[in-house]
Amino acid sequence: MSKGKRETARTTETPDPDETAAAEPNNPAESDPAEPDAPAEGAESADSEKPAESEKPAESSNSAEPDDSAEPSDPAEGDDSAEPDESADSEKPAEPENSAEPSDPAEPSDPAAHPRRGAMAAVVAVFGELLITAGLVLALFVVYSLWWTNVLADRQAAKESNRVREHWAADRGPGDLDTRDGIGFLHVPSMSSDDILVKKGTDPKELNQGIAGYYTEPVKSGLPQDQSGNFALAAHRDGHGAKFHNIDKVDKGDAVVFETKNTWFVYKVFATLPQTSKYNVDVVDPIPKESGKKQRGRYITLTTCTPVYTSKYRYVVWGELVRTEDVDEDRTPPAELR
């Protein structure tokens, strides 16, 4: 009995493999739950472990969030950190441009350049002021030479001329040529309407008084009353009275009259020499051959500087005596001066 019960129990406890094989696909839920639960727990544990591991870098990234200001230099942010690096790289080439601005000539970075520029500017300013001062001094000198000296010379010449005429009026009798204050007055209507006082010598000190002087050297001048000779005169052409300023207006045939205490000497221009060397003394010889004359005569020669405002050359006018007239009580001038 017992053996038969055991076999019956085996038959009932041991299922047919074919039936179990056919029954498994139809009822998967009837399978032993313990077997699938084991791998599921392993999978769940594995899945739970993976997120835990993956959360670690997330936590590190979250921990880096407070350091947002350091994003360009934080390597933990991966691709996001590359963008600040690019902006940093783009700013780096701009830095040399900013650093190059101080080297601009308008804004030198060298502190020693400012003193050099300041010194140079000071030198230029001083030089400019000197040029302006020199220009003003030169302008004043020109005004003094060409205008003020004329004023002073004319005043002085007028005083001396009046003294000579007063002396003549006080001593009306005949006599030798008076040379104490001047020997007489030159009249050249085509050159000037002035009565030009003539004194002895051609020294600048004398000529600066606004007068004409007759030569005593290198050639001794003749005098109007001499029976032959060359009465050679000189005067300034500009400044100090400029008595011969318009000598270039004198032409052939013009009258030149010299007035003394007792006589009018009337000359006629026969030649001019617009330019010659200032060392040419032959023009004042007793017989001025450069004028074309070959024989002795009673000549008058006027000399002055040329061109105007220079003393490089000499301008020469020659005349020859044509007649004389006695001075009357009224000192009536000859027809050439009327």
Side-chain angles (χ1 to χ4, degrees), residues 44-68:
E44 290 178 359
S45 63
D47 294 337
S48 62
E49 289 176 0
K50 287 181 180 180
E53 293 176 357
S54 62
E55 288 176 0
K56 290 181 179 180
E59 292 177 357
S60 63
S61 63
N62 293 331
S63 64
E65 288 179 359
D67 298 329
D68 289 341

Side-chain angles (χ1 to χ4, degrees), residues 32-322:
D32 189 18
E35 292 179 359
D37 291 337
E41 292 177 357
E44 290 178 359
S45 63
D47 294 337
S48 62
E49 289 176 0
K50 287 181 180 180
E53 293 176 357
S54 62
E55 288 176 0
K56 290 181 179 180
E59 292 177 357
S60 63
S61 63
N62 293 331
S63 64
E65 288 179 359
D67 298 329
D68 289 341
S69 60
E71 285 179 2
S73 61
D74 188 0
E77 292 184 3
D79 295 336
D80 295 335
S81 64
E83 294 179 358
D85 292 337
E86 291 177 358
S87 62
D89 293 338
S90 63
E91 292 177 356
K92 287 181 180 178
E95 292 178 358
E97 294 179 359
N98 296 331
S99 63
E101 289 179 0
S103 64
D104 191 289
E107 298 179 358
S109 59
D110 186 4
H114 293 286
R116 288 198 299 269
R117 290 183 61 191
M120 182 61 68
V123 170
V124 172
V126 171
F127 184 70
E129 291 178 358
L130 290 176
L131 287 179
I132 294 172
T133 303
L136 292 175
V137 171
L138 182 60
L140 292 174
F141 177 75
V142 171
V143 171
Y144 170 79
S145 299
L146 302 182
W147 178 72
W148 186 245
T149 59
N150 288 341
V151 173
L152 297 178
D154 288 341
R155 289 177 181 175
Q156 182 66 24
K159 289 180 181 180
E160 296 191 12
S161 296
N162 291 335
R163 188 180 302 117
V164 170
R165 291 195 179 277
E166 289 174 0
H167 179 71
W168 286 357
D171 185 7
R172 297 181 60 89
D176 296 333
L177 186 65
D178 189 352
T179 60
R180 284 178 297 179
D181 298 316
I183 65 172
F185 297 92
L186 179 71
H187 305 267
V188 187
S190 59
M191 181 176 68
S192 173
S193 60
D194 294 342
D195 299 343
I196 302 172
L197 179 63
V198 177
K199 299 177 70 173
K200 180 180 181 180
T202 57
D203 188 273
K205 182 179 179 180
E206 298 293 336
L207 300 183
N208 288 349
Q209 298 175 13
I211 56 107
Y214 64 88
Y215 284 89
T216 58
E217 58 183 23
V219 178
K220 186 177 180 179
S221 171
L223 294 175
Q225 69 271 19
D226 295 342
Q227 293 303 311
S228 66
N230 186 3
F231 184 34
L233 306 176
H236 287 302
R237 194 174 186 186
D238 52 78
H240 302 285
K243 297 305 181 180
F244 284 3
H245 182 75
N246 292 322
I247 194 172
D248 57 314
K249 304 297 183 182
V250 180
D251 203 355
K252 293 180 181 180
D254 291 343
V256 176
V257 179
F258 188 72
E259 175 190 3
T260 64
K261 176 183 176 182
N262 300 309
T263 307
W264 298 97
F265 297 88
V266 180
Y267 298 85
K268 184 177 181 179
V269 175
F270 66 89
T272 62
L273 182 60
Q275 180 175 301
T276 187
S277 172
K278 61 183 178 180
Y279 303 108
N280 183 7
V281 297
D282 295 339
V283 297
V284 294
D285 281 346
I287 302 176
K289 295 180 180 179
E290 291 192 42
S291 68
K293 295 295 183 178
K294 305 297 181 182
Q295 298 178 354
R296 289 184 176 272
R298 299 177 74 174
Y299 305 114
I300 188 170
T301 303
L302 311 180
T303 64
T304 190
C305 299
T306 196
V308 181
Y309 310 121
T310 70
S311 59
K312 189 175 182 179
Y313 301 105
R314 295 293 181 265
Y315 197 108
V316 184
V317 172
W318 289 287
E320 187 174 13
L321 184 68
V322 292

